[in-house]
PDB file of all heavy atoms in Angstrom:
ATOM      1  N   CYS A   1      -8.318  41.944 -65.800  1.00 89.00           N
ATOM      2  CA  CYS A   1      -6.957  41.787 -65.227  1.00 89.00           C
ATOM      3  C   CYS A   1      -5.817  41.990 -66.108  1.00 89.00           C
ATOM      4  O   CYS A   1      -4.870  41.306 -66.226  1.00 89.00           O
ATOM      5  CB  CYS A   1      -6.785  40.360 -64.677  1.00 89.00           C
ATOM      6  SG  CYS A   1      -7.952  39.926 -63.377  1.00 89.00           S
ATOM      7  N   VAL A   2      -6.091  43.040 -67.086  1.00 92.00           N
ATOM      8  CA  VAL A   2      -5.059  43.354 -68.148  1.00 92.00           C
ATOM      9  C   VAL A   2      -3.701  43.757 -67.526  1.00 92.00           C
ATOM     10  O   VAL A   2      -2.645  43.287 -67.968  1.00 92.00           O
ATOM     11  CB  VAL A   2      -5.614  44.449 -69.042  1.00 92.00           C
ATOM     12  CG1 VAL A   2      -4.474  44.901 -70.059  1.00 92.00           C
ATOM     13  CG2 VAL A   2      -6.816  43.896 -69.878  1.00 92.00           C
ATOM     14  N   ARG A   3      -3.746  44.565 -66.465  1.00 93.00           N
ATOM     15  CA  ARG A   3      -2.548  45.089 -65.926  1.00 93.00           C
ATOM     16  C   ARG A   3      -1.628  43.952 -65.414  1.00 93.00           C
ATOM     17  O   ARG A   3      -0.439  43.893 -65.566  1.00 93.00           O
ATOM     18  CB  ARG A   3      -2.811  46.031 -64.863  1.00 93.00           C
ATOM     19  CG  ARG A   3      -1.574  46.729 -64.339  1.00 93.00           C
ATOM     20  CD  ARG A   3      -1.933  48.065 -63.542  1.00 93.00           C
ATOM     21  NE  ARG A   3      -0.706  48.850 -63.266  1.00 93.00           N
ATOM     22  CZ  ARG A   3      -0.705  50.037 -62.827  1.00 93.00           C
ATOM     23  NH1 ARG A   3      -1.851  50.699 -62.623  1.00 93.00           N
ATOM     24  NH2 ARG A   3       0.343  50.666 -62.490  1.00 93.00           N
ATOM     25  N   ALA A   4      -2.348  43.038 -64.574  1.00 94.00           N
ATOM     26  CA  ALA A   4      -1.636  41.835 -64.065  1.00 94.00           C
ATOM     27  C   ALA A   4      -1.030  40.952 -65.154  1.00 94.00           C
ATOM     28  O   ALA A   4       0.069  40.431 -65.076  1.00 94.00           O
ATOM     29  CB  ALA A   4      -2.590  41.071 -63.086  1.00 94.00           C
ATOM     30  N   ALA A   5      -1.869  40.694 -66.241  1.00 94.00           N
ATOM     31  CA  ALA A   5      -1.468  39.926 -67.253  1.00 94.00           C
ATOM     32  C   ALA A   5      -0.298  40.518 -68.063  1.00 94.00           C
ATOM     33  O   ALA A   5       0.623  39.829 -68.440  1.00 94.00           O
ATOM     34  CB  ALA A   5      -2.614  39.688 -68.288  1.00 94.00           C
ATOM     35  N   ALA A   6      -0.329  41.847 -68.212  1.00 94.00           N
ATOM     36  CA  ALA A   6       0.849  42.532 -68.910  1.00 94.00           C
ATOM     37  C   ALA A   6       2.143  42.494 -68.028  1.00 94.00           C
ATOM     38  O   ALA A   6       3.207  42.401 -68.426  1.00 94.00           O
ATOM     39  CB  ALA A   6       0.492  44.019 -69.075  1.00 94.00           C
ATOM     40  N   GLN A   7       1.941  42.567 -66.665  1.00 94.00           N
ATOM     41  CA  GLN A   7       3.104  42.366 -65.763  1.00 94.00           C
ATOM     42  C   GLN A   7       3.719  40.927 -65.928  1.00 94.00           C
ATOM     43  O   GLN A   7       4.992  40.817 -65.952  1.00 94.00           O
ATOM     44  CB  GLN A   7       2.720  42.615 -64.345  1.00 94.00           C
ATOM     45  CG  GLN A   7       2.393  44.149 -64.053  1.00 94.00           C
ATOM     46  CD  GLN A   7       1.770  44.297 -62.690  1.00 94.00           C
ATOM     47  OE1 GLN A   7       1.300  43.343 -61.982  1.00 94.00           O
ATOM     48  NE2 GLN A   7       1.577  45.566 -62.347  1.00 94.00           N
ATOM     49  N   VAL A   8       2.930  39.941 -65.977  1.00 95.00           N
ATOM     50  CA  VAL A   8       3.386  38.624 -66.257  1.00 95.00           C
ATOM     51  C   VAL A   8       4.133  38.494 -67.594  1.00 95.00           C
ATOM     52  O   VAL A   8       5.240  37.940 -67.711  1.00 95.00           O
ATOM     53  CB  VAL A   8       2.340  37.533 -66.099  1.00 95.00           C
ATOM     54  CG1 VAL A   8       2.772  36.224 -66.498  1.00 95.00           C
ATOM     55  CG2 VAL A   8       1.646  37.524 -64.692  1.00 95.00           C
ATOM     56  N   LEU A   9       3.483  39.068 -68.556  1.00 95.00           N
ATOM     57  CA  LEU A   9       4.073  38.994 -69.961  1.00 95.00           C
ATOM     58  C   LEU A   9       5.394  39.835 -69.987  1.00 95.00           C
ATOM     59  O   LEU A   9       6.346  39.338 -70.654  1.00 95.00           O
ATOM     60  CB  LEU A   9       3.110  39.616 -70.950  1.00 95.00           C
ATOM     61  CG  LEU A   9       3.465  39.580 -72.396  1.00 95.00           C
ATOM     62  CD1 LEU A   9       3.616  38.082 -72.832  1.00 95.00           C
ATOM     63  CD2 LEU A   9       2.410  40.195 -73.156  1.00 95.00           C
ATOM     64  N   ALA A  10       5.469  40.881 -69.194  1.00 95.00           N
ATOM     65  CA  ALA A  10       6.727  41.762 -69.290  1.00 95.00           C
ATOM     66  C   ALA A  10       7.871  40.937 -68.550  1.00 95.00           C
ATOM     67  O   ALA A  10       9.004  41.126 -68.848  1.00 95.00           O
ATOM     68  CB  ALA A  10       6.491  43.047 -68.539  1.00 95.00           C
ATOM     69  N   VAL A  11       7.543  39.952 -67.685  1.00 95.00           N
ATOM     70  CA  VAL A  11       8.650  39.213 -67.053  1.00 95.00           C
ATOM     71  C   VAL A  11       8.952  37.984 -67.948  1.00 95.00           C
ATOM     72  O   VAL A  11      10.018  37.513 -68.065  1.00 95.00           O
ATOM     73  CB  VAL A  11       7.998  38.706 -65.685  1.00 95.00           C
ATOM     74  CG1 VAL A  11       8.980  37.590 -65.163  1.00 95.00           C
ATOM     75  CG2 VAL A  11       7.889  39.786 -64.686  1.00 95.00           C
ATOM     76  N   LEU A  12       7.882  37.455 -68.646  1.00 94.00           N
ATOM     77  CA  LEU A  12       7.997  36.278 -69.536  1.00 94.00           C
ATOM     78  C   LEU A  12       8.876  36.609 -70.873  1.00 94.00           C
ATOM     79  O   LEU A  12       9.716  35.785 -71.266  1.00 94.00           O
ATOM     80  CB  LEU A  12       6.770  35.695 -69.862  1.00 94.00           C
ATOM     81  CG  LEU A  12       6.719  34.307 -70.425  1.00 94.00           C
ATOM     82  CD1 LEU A  12       7.335  33.247 -69.649  1.00 94.00           C
ATOM     83  CD2 LEU A  12       5.199  33.895 -70.790  1.00 94.00           C
ATOM     84  N   LEU A  13       8.500  37.679 -71.428  1.00 95.00           N
ATOM     85  CA  LEU A  13       9.163  38.079 -72.699  1.00 95.00           C
ATOM     86  C   LEU A  13      10.664  38.118 -72.674  1.00 95.00           C
ATOM     87  O   LEU A  13      11.276  37.599 -73.619  1.00 95.00           O
ATOM     88  CB  LEU A  13       8.533  39.264 -73.336  1.00 95.00           C
ATOM     89  CG  LEU A  13       7.237  39.165 -74.037  1.00 95.00           C
ATOM     90  CD1 LEU A  13       6.672  40.455 -74.395  1.00 95.00           C
ATOM     91  CD2 LEU A  13       7.405  38.250 -75.249  1.00 95.00           C
ATOM     92  N   PRO A  14      11.343  38.850 -71.843  1.00 95.00           N
ATOM     93  CA  PRO A  14      12.759  38.855 -71.772  1.00 95.00           C
ATOM     94  C   PRO A  14      13.459  37.498 -71.808  1.00 95.00           C
ATOM     95  O   PRO A  14      14.487  37.301 -72.477  1.00 95.00           O
ATOM     96  CB  PRO A  14      13.134  39.653 -70.557  1.00 95.00           C
ATOM     97  CG  PRO A  14      11.943  40.573 -70.298  1.00 95.00           C
ATOM     98  CD  PRO A  14      10.770  39.682 -70.684  1.00 95.00           C
ATOM     99  N   LEU A  15      12.881  36.578 -71.051  1.00 93.00           N
ATOM    100  CA  LEU A  15      13.424  35.246 -70.998  1.00 93.00           C
ATOM    101  C   LEU A  15      13.242  34.499 -72.383  1.00 93.00           C
ATOM    102  O   LEU A  15      14.140  33.820 -72.830  1.00 93.00           O
ATOM    103  CB  LEU A  15      12.755  34.401 -69.936  1.00 93.00           C
ATOM    104  CG  LEU A  15      12.833  34.917 -68.473  1.00 93.00           C
ATOM    105  CD1 LEU A  15      12.069  34.002 -67.600  1.00 93.00           C
ATOM    106  CD2 LEU A  15      14.315  34.857 -68.120  1.00 93.00           C
ATOM    107  N   ALA A  16      12.017  34.711 -72.999  1.00 93.00           N
ATOM    108  CA  ALA A  16      11.886  34.251 -74.261  1.00 93.00           C
ATOM    109  C   ALA A  16      12.792  34.829 -75.369  1.00 93.00           C
ATOM    110  O   ALA A  16      13.179  34.125 -76.320  1.00 93.00           O
ATOM    111  CB  ALA A  16      10.288  34.329 -74.745  1.00 93.00           C
ATOM    112  N   ILE A  17      12.949  36.126 -75.297  1.00 94.00           N
ATOM    113  CA  ILE A  17      13.793  36.811 -76.286  1.00 94.00           C
ATOM    114  C   ILE A  17      15.224  36.207 -76.146  1.00 94.00           C
ATOM    115  O   ILE A  17      15.916  35.840 -77.124  1.00 94.00           O
ATOM    116  CB  ILE A  17      13.772  38.294 -76.057  1.00 94.00           C
ATOM    117  CG1 ILE A  17      12.431  38.777 -76.390  1.00 94.00           C
ATOM    118  CG2 ILE A  17      14.916  38.991 -76.961  1.00 94.00           C
ATOM    119  CD1 ILE A  17      12.238  40.298 -75.993  1.00 94.00           C
ATOM    120  N   LEU A  18      15.804  36.170 -74.907  1.00 93.00           N
ATOM    121  CA  LEU A  18      17.142  35.691 -74.682  1.00 93.00           C
ATOM    122  C   LEU A  18      17.326  34.222 -75.066  1.00 93.00           C
ATOM    123  O   LEU A  18      18.352  33.779 -75.747  1.00 93.00           O
ATOM    124  CB  LEU A  18      17.569  35.978 -73.198  1.00 93.00           C
ATOM    125  CG  LEU A  18      17.739  37.439 -72.903  1.00 93.00           C
ATOM    126  CD1 LEU A  18      17.941  37.513 -71.454  1.00 93.00           C
ATOM    127  CD2 LEU A  18      18.830  38.062 -73.586  1.00 93.00           C
ATOM    128  N   LEU A  19      16.430  33.385 -74.490  1.00 91.00           N
ATOM    129  CA  LEU A  19      16.696  31.814 -74.643  1.00 91.00           C
ATOM    130  C   LEU A  19      16.129  31.360 -75.972  1.00 91.00           C
ATOM    131  O   LEU A  19      16.615  30.349 -76.486  1.00 91.00           O
ATOM    132  CB  LEU A  19      16.034  31.190 -73.478  1.00 91.00           C
ATOM    133  CG  LEU A  19      16.499  31.587 -72.070  1.00 91.00           C
ATOM    134  CD1 LEU A  19      15.903  30.883 -70.961  1.00 91.00           C
ATOM    135  CD2 LEU A  19      18.075  31.294 -71.980  1.00 91.00           C
ATOM    136  N   ILE A  20      14.945  31.761 -76.455  1.00 93.00           N
ATOM    137  CA  ILE A  20      14.309  31.218 -77.632  1.00 93.00           C
ATOM    138  C   ILE A  20      14.673  32.001 -78.864  1.00 93.00           C
ATOM    139  O   ILE A  20      15.329  31.514 -79.729  1.00 93.00           O
ATOM    140  CB  ILE A  20      12.814  31.161 -77.424  1.00 93.00           C
ATOM    141  CG1 ILE A  20      12.442  30.515 -76.076  1.00 93.00           C
ATOM    142  CG2 ILE A  20      12.233  30.454 -78.584  1.00 93.00           C
ATOM    143  CD1 ILE A  20      13.052  29.137 -75.902  1.00 93.00           C
ATOM    144  N   ASP A  21      14.170  33.243 -78.977  1.00 93.00           N
ATOM    145  CA  ASP A  21      14.464  34.064 -80.180  1.00 93.00           C
ATOM    146  C   ASP A  21      16.010  34.314 -80.401  1.00 93.00           C
ATOM    147  O   ASP A  21      16.443  34.352 -81.542  1.00 93.00           O
ATOM    148  CB  ASP A  21      13.747  35.405 -80.011  1.00 93.00           C
ATOM    149  CG  ASP A  21      12.226  35.263 -80.113  1.00 93.00           C
ATOM    150  OD1 ASP A  21      11.821  34.161 -80.591  1.00 93.00           O
ATOM    151  OD2 ASP A  21      11.529  36.104 -79.794  1.00 93.00           O
ATOM    152  N   GLY A  22      16.720  34.456 -79.255  1.00 92.00           N
ATOM    153  CA  GLY A  22      18.165  34.753 -79.432  1.00 92.00           C
ATOM    154  C   GLY A  22      19.021  33.584 -79.767  1.00 92.00           C
ATOM    155  O   GLY A  22      20.313  33.703 -79.958  1.00 92.00           O
ATOM    156  N   ASN A  23      18.452  32.403 -79.892  1.00 92.00           N
ATOM    157  CA  ASN A  23      19.173  31.197 -80.268  1.00 92.00           C
ATOM    158  C   ASN A  23      19.391  31.192 -81.782  1.00 92.00           C
ATOM    159  O   ASN A  23      18.727  30.354 -82.526  1.00 92.00           O
ATOM    160  CB  ASN A  23      18.431  29.997 -79.758  1.00 92.00           C
ATOM    161  CG  ASN A  23      19.283  28.639 -79.954  1.00 92.00           C
ATOM    162  OD1 ASN A  23      20.449  28.683 -80.397  1.00 92.00           O
ATOM    163  ND2 ASN A  23      18.712  27.535 -79.579  1.00 92.00           N
ATOM    164  N   LEU A  24      20.241  31.969 -82.187  1.00 92.00           N
ATOM    165  CA  LEU A  24      20.528  32.164 -83.662  1.00 92.00           C
ATOM    166  C   LEU A  24      21.051  30.841 -84.285  1.00 92.00           C
ATOM    167  O   LEU A  24      20.810  30.606 -85.493  1.00 92.00           O
ATOM    168  CB  LEU A  24      21.488  33.336 -83.917  1.00 92.00           C
ATOM    169  CG  LEU A  24      20.968  34.657 -83.465  1.00 92.00           C
ATOM    170  CD1 LEU A  24      22.032  35.723 -83.723  1.00 92.00           C
ATOM    171  CD2 LEU A  24      19.713  35.009 -84.254  1.00 92.00           C
ATOM    172  N   ALA A  25      21.832  30.140 -83.540  1.00 91.00           N
ATOM    173  CA  ALA A  25      22.362  28.828 -84.108  1.00 91.00           C
ATOM    174  C   ALA A  25      21.199  27.920 -84.400  1.00 91.00           C
ATOM    175  O   ALA A  25      21.263  27.284 -85.388  1.00 91.00           O
ATOM    176  CB  ALA A  25      23.240  28.174 -83.049  1.00 91.00           C
ATOM    177  N   TYR A  26      20.152  27.901 -83.671  1.00 92.00           N
ATOM    178  CA  TYR A  26      19.040  26.898 -83.867  1.00 92.00           C
ATOM    179  C   TYR A  26      18.142  27.508 -85.153  1.00 92.00           C
ATOM    180  O   TYR A  26      17.967  26.745 -86.030  1.00 92.00           O
ATOM    181  CB  TYR A  26      18.212  26.831 -82.692  1.00 92.00           C
ATOM    182  CG  TYR A  26      16.875  26.112 -82.891  1.00 92.00           C
ATOM    183  CD1 TYR A  26      16.889  24.744 -83.027  1.00 92.00           C
ATOM    184  CD2 TYR A  26      15.730  26.816 -83.132  1.00 92.00           C
ATOM    185  CE1 TYR A  26      15.789  24.013 -83.259  1.00 92.00           C
ATOM    186  CE2 TYR A  26      14.493  26.037 -83.340  1.00 92.00           C
ATOM    187  CZ  TYR A  26      14.597  24.651 -83.368  1.00 92.00           C
ATOM    188  OH  TYR A  26      13.395  23.950 -83.687  1.00 92.00           O
ATOM    189  N   TRP A  27      17.902  28.725 -85.025  1.00 94.00           N
ATOM    190  CA  TRP A  27      16.841  29.361 -86.045  1.00 94.00           C
ATOM    191  C   TRP A  27      17.545  29.512 -87.454  1.00 94.00           C
ATOM    192  O   TRP A  27      17.052  29.177 -88.406  1.00 94.00           O
ATOM    193  CB  TRP A  27      16.291  30.621 -85.590  1.00 94.00           C
ATOM    194  CG  TRP A  27      15.398  30.486 -84.354  1.00 94.00           C
ATOM    195  CD1 TRP A  27      15.607  30.987 -83.106  1.00 94.00           C
ATOM    196  CD2 TRP A  27      14.041  29.805 -84.326  1.00 94.00           C
ATOM    197  NE1 TRP A  27      14.575  30.642 -82.314  1.00 94.00           N
ATOM    198  CE2 TRP A  27      13.678  29.926 -82.966  1.00 94.00           C
ATOM    199  CE3 TRP A  27      13.381  29.156 -85.191  1.00 94.00           C
ATOM    200  CZ2 TRP A  27      12.429  29.357 -82.543  1.00 94.00           C
ATOM    201  CZ3 TRP A  27      12.123  28.590 -84.807  1.00 94.00           C
ATOM    202  CH2 TRP A  27      11.686  28.716 -83.565  1.00 94.00           C
ATOM    203  N   HIS A  28      18.853  30.028 -87.374  1.00 91.00           N
ATOM    204  CA  HIS A  28      19.463  30.332 -88.703  1.00 91.00           C
ATOM    205  C   HIS A  28      20.194  29.062 -89.258  1.00 91.00           C
ATOM    206  O   HIS A  28      19.968  28.873 -90.430  1.00 91.00           O
ATOM    207  CB  HIS A  28      20.535  31.373 -88.460  1.00 91.00           C
ATOM    208  CG  HIS A  28      21.325  31.854 -89.724  1.00 91.00           C
ATOM    209  ND1 HIS A  28      20.627  32.267 -90.857  1.00 91.00           N
ATOM    210  CD2 HIS A  28      22.690  31.859 -89.943  1.00 91.00           C
ATOM    211  CE1 HIS A  28      21.579  32.543 -91.801  1.00 91.00           C
ATOM    212  NE2 HIS A  28      22.768  32.301 -91.172  1.00 91.00           N
ATOM    213  N   ARG A  29      20.761  28.339 -88.441  1.00 89.00           N
ATOM    214  CA  ARG A  29      21.584  27.187 -89.003  1.00 89.00           C
ATOM    215  C   ARG A  29      20.718  26.003 -89.178  1.00 89.00           C
ATOM    216  O   ARG A  29      20.675  25.286 -90.179  1.00 89.00           O
ATOM    217  CB  ARG A  29      22.780  26.983 -88.216  1.00 89.00           C
ATOM    218  CG  ARG A  29      23.811  28.086 -88.220  1.00 89.00           C
ATOM    219  CD  ARG A  29      24.890  27.828 -87.230  1.00 89.00           C
ATOM    220  NE  ARG A  29      25.826  28.910 -86.969  1.00 89.00           N
ATOM    221  CZ  ARG A  29      26.685  29.069 -86.011  1.00 89.00           C
ATOM    222  NH1 ARG A  29      26.913  28.095 -85.214  1.00 89.00           N
ATOM    223  NH2 ARG A  29      27.428  30.124 -86.056  1.00 89.00           N
ATOM    224  N   ALA A  30      19.972  25.536 -88.187  1.00 90.00           N
ATOM    225  CA  ALA A  30      19.157  24.320 -88.186  1.00 90.00           C
ATOM    226  C   ALA A  30      17.776  24.499 -88.974  1.00 90.00           C
ATOM    227  O   ALA A  30      17.494  23.643 -89.692  1.00 90.00           O
ATOM    228  CB  ALA A  30      18.944  23.897 -86.759  1.00 90.00           C
ATOM    229  N   ARG A  31      17.183  25.644 -88.677  1.00 91.00           N
ATOM    230  CA  ARG A  31      15.917  25.811 -89.328  1.00 91.00           C
ATOM    231  C   ARG A  31      15.895  26.699 -90.552  1.00 91.00           C
ATOM    232  O   ARG A  31      14.780  26.996 -91.214  1.00 91.00           O
ATOM    233  CB  ARG A  31      14.847  26.450 -88.287  1.00 91.00           C
ATOM    234  CG  ARG A  31      14.580  25.479 -87.126  1.00 91.00           C
ATOM    235  CD  ARG A  31      14.137  24.139 -87.634  1.00 91.00           C
ATOM    236  NE  ARG A  31      13.968  23.157 -86.632  1.00 91.00           N
ATOM    237  CZ  ARG A  31      13.600  21.911 -86.849  1.00 91.00           C
ATOM    238  NH1 ARG A  31      13.386  21.593 -88.022  1.00 91.00           N
ATOM    239  NH2 ARG A  31      13.625  21.075 -85.781  1.00 91.00           N
ATOM    240  N   ARG A  32      17.089  27.209 -90.894  1.00 90.00           N
ATOM    241  CA  ARG A  32      17.230  27.997 -92.277  1.00 90.00           C
ATOM    242  C   ARG A  32      16.493  29.236 -92.248  1.00 90.00           C
ATOM    243  O   ARG A  32      16.011  29.650 -93.360  1.00 90.00           O
ATOM    244  CB  ARG A  32      16.881  27.078 -93.424  1.00 90.00           C
ATOM    245  CG  ARG A  32      17.604  25.803 -93.523  1.00 90.00           C
ATOM    246  CD  ARG A  32      19.103  26.007 -93.757  1.00 90.00           C
ATOM    247  NE  ARG A  32      19.873  24.812 -93.764  1.00 90.00           N
ATOM    248  CZ  ARG A  32      21.147  24.702 -93.759  1.00 90.00           C
ATOM    249  NH1 ARG A  32      21.971  25.871 -93.647  1.00 90.00           N
ATOM    250  NH2 ARG A  32      21.868  23.491 -93.870  1.00 90.00           N
ATOM    251  N   VAL A  33      16.234  29.836 -91.105  1.00 92.00           N
ATOM    252  CA  VAL A  33      15.614  31.236 -91.120  1.00 92.00           C
ATOM    253  C   VAL A  33      16.772  32.153 -91.476  1.00 92.00           C
ATOM    254  O   VAL A  33      17.763  32.141 -90.929  1.00 92.00           O
ATOM    255  CB  VAL A  33      15.007  31.474 -89.725  1.00 92.00           C
ATOM    256  CG1 VAL A  33      14.434  32.997 -89.729  1.00 92.00           C
ATOM    257  CG2 VAL A  33      13.952  30.486 -89.354  1.00 92.00           C
ATOM    258  N   GLU A  34      16.342  33.140 -92.395  1.00 92.00           N
ATOM    259  CA  GLU A  34      17.388  34.092 -92.844  1.00 92.00           C
ATOM    260  C   GLU A  34      17.878  34.951 -91.526  1.00 92.00           C
ATOM    261  O   GLU A  34      16.976  35.288 -90.741  1.00 92.00           O
ATOM    262  CB  GLU A  34      16.833  35.017 -93.922  1.00 92.00           C
ATOM    263  CG  GLU A  34      16.522  34.272 -95.133  1.00 92.00           C
ATOM    264  CD  GLU A  34      15.380  34.973 -96.003  1.00 92.00           C
ATOM    265  OE1 GLU A  34      14.362  35.348 -95.365  1.00 92.00           O
ATOM    266  OE2 GLU A  34      15.671  35.278 -97.197  1.00 92.00           O
ATOM    267  N   PHE A  35      19.137  35.110 -91.555  1.00 94.00           N
ATOM    268  CA  PHE A  35      19.724  35.846 -90.327  1.00 94.00           C
ATOM    269  C   PHE A  35      18.996  37.110 -89.969  1.00 94.00           C
ATOM    270  O   PHE A  35      18.570  37.277 -88.830  1.00 94.00           O
ATOM    271  CB  PHE A  35      21.251  36.045 -90.558  1.00 94.00           C
ATOM    272  CG  PHE A  35      21.898  36.749 -89.380  1.00 94.00           C
ATOM    273  CD1 PHE A  35      22.286  36.020 -88.269  1.00 94.00           C
ATOM    274  CD2 PHE A  35      22.131  38.203 -89.377  1.00 94.00           C
ATOM    275  CE1 PHE A  35      22.957  36.645 -87.124  1.00 94.00           C
ATOM    276  CE2 PHE A  35      22.577  38.741 -88.287  1.00 94.00           C
ATOM    277  CZ  PHE A  35      23.130  38.018 -87.198  1.00 94.00           C
ATOM    278  N   TRP A  36      18.881  38.023 -90.987  1.00 93.00           N
ATOM    279  CA  TRP A  36      18.249  39.317 -90.636  1.00 93.00           C
ATOM    280  C   TRP A  36      16.753  39.106 -90.538  1.00 93.00           C
ATOM    281  O   TRP A  36      16.166  40.095 -89.938  1.00 93.00           O
ATOM    282  CB  TRP A  36      18.670  40.323 -91.714  1.00 93.00           C
ATOM    283  CG  TRP A  36      20.073  40.728 -91.468  1.00 93.00           C
ATOM    284  CD1 TRP A  36      21.214  40.370 -92.106  1.00 93.00           C
ATOM    285  CD2 TRP A  36      20.441  41.619 -90.361  1.00 93.00           C
ATOM    286  NE1 TRP A  36      22.284  41.021 -91.553  1.00 93.00           N
ATOM    287  CE2 TRP A  36      21.903  41.756 -90.512  1.00 93.00           C
ATOM    288  CE3 TRP A  36      19.768  42.263 -89.312  1.00 93.00           C
ATOM    289  CZ2 TRP A  36      22.629  42.523 -89.622  1.00 93.00           C
ATOM    290  CZ3 TRP A  36      20.557  42.996 -88.422  1.00 93.00           C
ATOM    291  CH2 TRP A  36      21.950  43.185 -88.627  1.00 93.00           C
ATOM    292  N   ASN A  37      16.147  38.132 -90.930  1.00 93.00           N
ATOM    293  CA  ASN A  37      14.816  37.934 -90.707  1.00 93.00           C
ATOM    294  C   ASN A  37      14.597  37.559 -89.237  1.00 93.00           C
ATOM    295  O   ASN A  37      13.703  38.094 -88.601  1.00 93.00           O
ATOM    296  CB  ASN A  37      14.143  36.799 -91.582  1.00 93.00           C
ATOM    297  CG  ASN A  37      12.704  36.792 -91.647  1.00 93.00           C
ATOM    298  OD1 ASN A  37      12.029  37.767 -91.121  1.00 93.00           O
ATOM    299  ND2 ASN A  37      12.101  35.807 -92.101  1.00 93.00           N
ATOM    300  N   GLN A  38      15.427  36.740 -88.685  1.00 95.00           N
ATOM    301  CA  GLN A  38      15.451  36.374 -87.315  1.00 95.00           C
ATOM    302  C   GLN A  38      15.682  37.571 -86.474  1.00 95.00           C
ATOM    303  O   GLN A  38      15.112  37.791 -85.338  1.00 95.00           O
ATOM    304  CB  GLN A  38      16.357  35.260 -87.044  1.00 95.00           C
ATOM    305  CG  GLN A  38      16.375  34.805 -85.597  1.00 95.00           C
ATOM    306  CD  GLN A  38      15.051  34.222 -85.187  1.00 95.00           C
ATOM    307  OE1 GLN A  38      14.251  33.710 -85.939  1.00 95.00           O
ATOM    308  NE2 GLN A  38      14.689  34.369 -83.874  1.00 95.00           N
TER     309      GLN A  38
END
């Protein structure tokens, strides 16, 4: 079921990118991840 799994992942990833990875205030300021590393 790779194709179905990939379709689910393709829907899930944009939300994770916007809400989780894109939270620069949390990762850079609170967790001290270098800005360009994030």
Side-chain angles (χ1 to χ4, degrees):
C1 303
V2 171
R3 188 165 189 169
Q7 289 169 352
V8 174
L9 185 60
V11 173
L12 189 61
L13 274 175
L15 297 175
I17 293 170
L18 290 173
L19 299 178
I20 309 302
D21 291 343
N23 188 1
L24 297 176
Y26 174 77
W27 294 112
H28 179 55
R29 296 175 189 169
R31 295 302 172 185
R32 303 298 180 188
V33 179
E34 293 156 311
F35 178 82
W36 282 104
N37 195 12
Q38 183 60 27

